Coordinates of all heavy atoms in Angstrom, one line a residue:
S558 N 45.1 -92.2 -166.0 CA 46.3 -93.0 -166.2 C 47.3 -92.4 -167.1 O 48.5 -92.3 -166.7 CB 45.9 -94.4 -166.8 OG 45.0 -95.1 -165.9
R562 N 51.2 -90.7 -166.2 CA 52.4 -91.2 -167.0 C 53.0 -90.0 -167.8 O 54.3 -90.0 -167.9 CB 52.0 -92.3 -167.9 CG 51.7 -93.6 -167.1 CD 50.8 -94.5 -167.9 NE 50.6 -95.9 -167.3 CZ 49.8 -96.1 -166.3 NH1 49.0 -95.2 -165.7 NH2 49.6 -97.4 -165.8
T631 N 47.8 -94.8 -158.1 CA 48.6 -94.8 -159.3 C 49.8 -93.9 -159.1 O 50.9 -94.2 -159.4 CB 47.7 -94.3 -160.5 OG1 46.6 -95.1 -160.6 CG2 48.5 -94.4 -161.8
R634 N 52.4 -95.4 -156.6 CA 53.1 -96.6 -157.0 C 54.0 -96.3 -158.2 O 55.1 -96.9 -158.3 CB 52.1 -97.7 -157.3 CG 51.4 -98.2 -156.0 CD 50.4 -99.3 -156.3 NE 49.8 -99.8 -155.0 CZ 48.5 -100.1 -154.9 NH1 47.7 -99.8 -155.8 NH2 48.1 -100.6 -153.7
P702 N 46.9 -109.1 -161.2 CA 46.8 -108.3 -162.4 C 46.8 -106.8 -162.0 O 45.8 -106.3 -161.4 CB 45.4 -108.7 -163.0 CG 44.7 -109.3 -161.8 CD 45.7 -109.8 -160.8
S703 N 47.9 -106.1 -162.3 CA 48.0 -104.7 -161.9 C 48.9 -103.9 -162.8 O 50.1 -104.1 -162.9 CB 48.5 -104.6 -160.5 OG 48.9 -103.2 -160.2
A704 N 48.3 -102.9 -163.5 CA 49.1 -102.1 -164.4 C 50.0 -101.1 -163.6 O 51.0 -100.7 -164.0 CB 48.1 -101.2 -165.2
Q705 N 49.5 -100.8 -162.3 CA 50.4 -100.0 -161.5 C 51.7 -100.7 -161.2 O 52.8 -100.1 -161.2 CB 49.6 -99.6 -160.2 CG 48.5 -98.7 -160.5 CD 47.6 -98.4 -159.2 OE1 47.9 -98.9 -158.2 NE2 46.6 -97.6 -159.4
R730 N 46.0 -102.6 -168.5 CA 46.2 -101.4 -169.4 C 47.6 -101.2 -169.7 O 48.5 -101.4 -168.9 CB 45.6 -100.1 -168.7 CG 46.3 -99.6 -167.5 CD 45.4 -98.6 -166.7 NE 44.2 -99.2 -166.2 CZ 43.2 -98.6 -165.7 NH1 43.2 -97.2 -165.8 NH2 42.1 -99.2 -165.2
I854 N 38.3 -102.7 -164.6 CA 38.4 -102.9 -163.2 C 37.8 -101.7 -162.4 O 37.2 -101.8 -161.4 CB 39.9 -103.2 -162.8 CG1 39.9 -103.7 -161.3 CG2 40.8 -102.0 -163.0 CD1 39.3 -105.0 -161.1
D855 N 37.9 -100.5 -163.0 CA 37.4 -99.3 -162.3 C 35.9 -99.1 -162.6 O 35.3 -98.2 -162.0 CB 38.2 -98.0 -162.8 CG 39.6 -98.1 -162.3 OD1 39.9 -98.7 -161.3 OD2 40.5 -97.4 -162.9
K882 N 41.0 -101.3 -153.7 CA 41.0 -100.0 -154.4 C 40.8 -98.9 -153.3 O 41.1 -99.1 -152.2 CB 39.8 -100.0 -155.4 CG 40.0 -101.0 -156.5 CD 41.2 -100.6 -157.4 CE 41.5 -101.6 -158.5 NZ 42.7 -101.4 -159.2
R931 N 34.8 -93.1 -157.1 CA 33.9 -93.9 -158.0 C 32.7 -94.4 -157.3 O 31.6 -94.6 -157.9 CB 34.7 -95.0 -158.6 CG 35.9 -94.5 -159.5 CD 36.3 -95.5 -160.5 NE 37.7 -95.3 -160.9 CZ 38.1 -94.4 -161.7 NH1 37.2 -93.6 -162.4 NH2 39.4 -94.2 -162.0
Ligands
S3P2363 C1 45.7 -97.8 -163.0 C2 45.6 -99.1 -162.8 C3 44.5 -99.8 -162.1 C4 43.3 -98.8 -161.9 C5 43.7 -97.5 -161.5 C6 44.6 -96.9 -162.6 C7 46.9 -97.2 -163.7 O1 45.0 -100.1 -160.8 O2 42.4 -99.4 -161.0 O3 42.6 -96.6 -161.4 O4 46.8 -96.1 -164.2 O5 47.9 -98.0 -163.9 P1 45.8 -101.5 -160.5 O6 47.1 -101.5 -161.1 O7 45.9 -101.6 -159.0 O8 44.8 -102.6 -161.0

Side-chain angles (χ1 to χ4, degrees):
S558 295
R562 287 158 171 81
T631 306
R634 291 182 176 134
S703 168
Q705 293 174 358
R730 67 193 67 195
I854 196 66
D855 292 335
K882 295 292 177 189
R931 298 199 205 281

